[in-house]
Amino acid sequence: MSAMDEVFKALADASRRSLLDRLHAENGQTLNELCEGLEMTRQAVTKHLAILEDANLITTIRHGREKLHYLNPLPIHQIGERWIRKFERSKLAALSELKRQLEKRDE
Amino acid sequence: MSAMDEVFKALADASRRSLLDRLHAENGQTLNELCEGLEMTRQAVTKHLAILEDANLITTIRHGREKLHYLNPLPIHQIGERWIRKFERSKLAALSELKRQLEKRDE
DNA sequence: ATAATAGGCAACCAAATGGTTGCATGTCAA
DNA sequence: TTGACATGCAACCATTTGGTTGCCTATTAT
């Protein structure tokens, strides 16, 4: 699986995006902190975090018996640069072409 | 399911992203055109296109017995604006904080 | 030392996903 | 008008996914 594919797959789940949001609000949280207030078991959160780590979206550091989770914003940035920008460049062109076609169908 | 969630889910599959790429290269293709060269059946492509259409990533127009597919770049743009930008703003801050922590663990 | 705390591992489960095949329908061309 | 072409629909299938429970290990605090 390509690196970018892993990132897209990791971002596809709302729970995982919300975990990234929480780390964005406060970086360096432990597993237990990240579990607080969530409607799923610790093990479910562990799995989500593992997927995010595999996709390189977070980095972890063991500190005694705690595991601290840190956001890595680089892959998200790359999705923006390498993938989304490509489609934005042609945005206006695509919309105007669609409009032309929509009008054309009544011929 | 929220609109943005649907977009993220739709983008999670490499085949679907490749379909968007093909439409980006040449907009307004028919189903059969989009099937050419792909290693899956027409029905599989139909399903992918339906998911992309539900997520509002493409718009279709029936033209006789053909169905033309057009890219809608707006949702992709919104992912960039509403989601990715948020993380980019704190990019440098997050990286420097991680660095600090990495150094701190040897204390 | 030992109890409490933080996390890890593995088996299991239901539902969603990505794909198939077979057949039906609608439209165009000879 | 009839055959070929473009697409649609539905049932079915294997695998992946997101979650659970139960138990184990490692670290800290009393």
Side-chain angles (χ1 to χ4, degrees):
Chain A
M1 188 156 56
S2 90
M4 207 176 71
D5 196 40
E6 242 175 357
V7 174
F8 270 113
K9 284 227 161 66
L11 294 180
D13 186 272
S15 302
R16 286 194 288 270
R17 290 198 305 278
S18 130
L19 285 169
L20 292 180
D21 281 338
R22 298 182 80 161
L23 286 180
H24 182 248
E26 188 189 341
N27 211 3
Q29 295 186 67
T30 66
L31 171 58
N32 268 332
E33 282 168 349
L34 288 170
C35 286
E36 276 167 26
L38 293 188
E39 305 223 316
M40 64 183 121
T41 60
R42 177 174 53 83
Q43 284 76 1
V45 177
T46 300
K47 284 194 183 180
H48 283 307
L49 290 172
I51 290 170
L52 290 171
E53 192 170 3
D54 285 348
N56 208 29
L57 282 159
I58 62 177
T59 309
T60 61
I61 304 174
R62 279 308 284 267
H63 192 261
R65 63 181 166 183
E66 293 182 329
K67 188 175 189 178
L68 304 177
H69 297 76
Y70 291 88
L71 203 60
N72 176 17
L74 186 59
I76 294 179
H77 177 71
Q78 289 176 340
I79 292 287
E81 283 301 308
R82 300 183 183 170
W83 203 82
I84 291 191
R85 266 198 190 286
K86 176 174 58 180
F87 286 94
E88 290 187 335
R89 259 179 262 125
S90 58
K91 195 180 144 191
L92 293 176
L95 279 178
S96 70
E97 189 179 350
L98 175 55
K99 205 168 175 183
R100 254 196 307 115
Q101 284 291 334
L102 282 167
E103 289 158 356
K104 193 176 156 193
R105 72 168 170 181
D106 293 324
E107 287 175 5
Chain B
M1 186 154 61
S2 90
M4 209 176 68
D5 197 40
E6 242 176 358
V7 174
F8 270 112
K9 284 229 163 63
L11 294 181
D13 187 273
S15 302
R16 286 194 288 271
R17 290 198 306 279
S18 130
L19 284 169
L20 292 179
D21 281 338
R22 297 183 79 160
L23 285 180
H24 182 249
E26 189 187 341
N27 211 2
Q29 295 185 65
T30 67
L31 170 58
N32 268 333
E33 282 168 348
L34 288 170
C35 286
E36 276 166 27
L38 294 189
E39 303 223 319
M40 62 184 123
T41 59
R42 177 174 54 84
Q43 282 77 359
V45 176
T46 300
K47 283 194 184 181
H48 283 307
L49 291 171
I51 289 170
L52 291 171
E53 191 169 5
D54 284 346
N56 207 29
L57 282 159
I58 62 175
T59 310
T60 60
I61 303 172
R62 282 307 286 266
H63 192 262
R65 63 181 165 180
E66 293 182 331
K67 189 175 190 180
L68 304 178
H69 297 77
Y70 291 89
L71 203 59
N72 177 17
L74 186 59
I76 294 179
H77 177 71
Q78 289 176 339
I79 293 286
E81 283 301 308
R82 300 183 183 170
W83 204 82
I84 291 191
R85 266 197 189 286
K86 177 174 58 182
F87 287 93
E88 290 188 336
R89 260 180 262 125
S90 59
K91 193 180 147 191
L92 293 176
L95 278 178
S96 69
E97 188 179 351
L98 175 55
K99 207 168 175 184
R100 252 193 312 112
Q101 284 290 335
L102 282 168
E103 288 156 357
K104 192 175 155 194
R105 71 167 172 183
D106 293 325
E107 288 175 2

